[in-house]
Amino acid sequence: MAFLKVVSLEEALEIINSFPLKPRTEMVPLSEALGRVLAEDIVSPINVPPFDRATVDGYALRAEDTFMASESEPVRLRVIGEVNAGDFPDFELKPGESVYISTGAPLPKGADAVIQFEDVDRDGDEVVIYKPAYPGLGVMKAGTDIPKGKLLLKKGTRLGFKETALLSAVGLAEVPVFRKPKVAVISTGNELVLPGEELRPGQIYDINGRAIADAARELGGEAVFLGIARDDRGSLKALIEKGVECCDIVILSGGASGGIRDLTSSIIEELGEVKIHGIAIQPGKPTIIGLIDGKPVFGLPGYPTSCLTNFTLLVAPLLRRLIGRESEVRKVKKKLAHKVFSVKGRRQFLPVRIEGEKAVPILKGSGAVTSFIDADGFIEVPENVEILEAGEEVEVLFFG
Ligand code: AMP
Ligand code: MG
């Protein structure tokens, strides 16, 4: 079987976009919300602080009682009690009265200022005040930090510790977030062994399994690594079926070229339908995309750099869509550090490293794992372009 369903990158993205997957949402406890993406706008259900609160330790009073206070003629107010943080005073402060108050405690009715204790003298049951207070001194009014009804966080926000702290401040114990798409990851090849296993002659360690699983997790998905399928029909079919059963998306790598390619595509065709068989880009020609039971199955190239380039171009947008982060920009414009040559008639993606304002092409070839490890992203060399000159502006798409 040759490449039967070769499409352009744009056509491939359109087909992927038409797949019957929809973002789904769930409620999670706030303690598990870190790193998740909000599925709804969050509006504050309360005022923060919920009450007028002292911001210093000192004396709560009526500011107008102190307007005449001076060094030479201090004002004396009667101290009628004490309010500590966590108390709620049920009395009203009358003219000429004050109350000892600690930081974070609610002001009693009637009080509108707090003078810190360092600025006054205490004399028995009186406090001696040497300069006027003004309304609001030493007070944080209810809702001035966060007013009730305020839009706090927008749908699509990824929650970091600041955001979870904010949700905590308004008392939300559960948060609506996008569900993590479940991604099954399968490596293929008789030559592959897992890290930790002994490397026999002719074998190499599996790189793509880890790379794809962790790239998917970084994007907000949940990865299920199903292991290494050997290059035989039984092994490959069993793992693909397992992936379709357990997950929303299945990603294979390797086995997408030569005779093995036919195996992957014929298994997908048997279990579902091959939608794309080859994309007109380099690297990525040997990419297969199918649908089994409504679930996308991606067969990505084996070389790690090619594999991750295609993951970034094809799978990452789908994952972003499923977690409500479609609009996330993962591109920057830079100047090419040196000239690169490409083949005319081939739309090519080249790994580059970013150094300041420059994009430095990495020309080790896609067979080297360090091509993508050393790279920050890649640039596109269009089909009709043979040479990109040093200094030309290029757009760098970040890996992952
Ligand atoms: P294939 O498409 O299976 O012919 O693989 C192309 C190249 O990528 C071969 O050199 C494979 O050994 C290599 N390769 C395939 N899968 C992996 C993997 N999971 N990790 C590292 N290298 C791989
Ligand atoms: Mg292989």
Side-chain angles (χ1 to χ4, degrees), residues 188-192 231 253-257 260 302:
T188 72
N190 289 339
E191 76 280 25
L192 300 180
D231 290 325
S253 67
S257 60
I260 305 302

Side-chain angles (χ1 to χ4, degrees), residues 24-43 152-160 163-168 170-179:
R24 287 183 296 166
T25 64
E26 63 182 347
M27 295 297 284
V28 294
L30 183 58
S31 57
E32 320 234 305
L34 184 73
R36 304 297 296 271
V37 178
L38 278 181
E40 286 169 29
D41 289 350
I42 301 288
V43 166
L152 294 182
L153 296 167
K154 286 199 148 165
K155 175 178 170 175
T157 303
R158 190 187 283 259
L159 301 172
E163 288 75 25
T164 56
L166 186 57
L167 294 168
S168 209
V170 299
L172 291 174
E174 283 200 313
V175 197
V177 295
F178 286 102
R179 279 180 63 163

Side-chain angles (χ1 to χ4, degrees), residues 1 5 17 41 63 177 186 259 328-329 342 399:
M1 204 196 298
K5 298 179 180 173
N17 208 24
D41 289 350
V177 295
I186 303 166
E328 192 172 70
V329 182
S342 170
F399 273 116

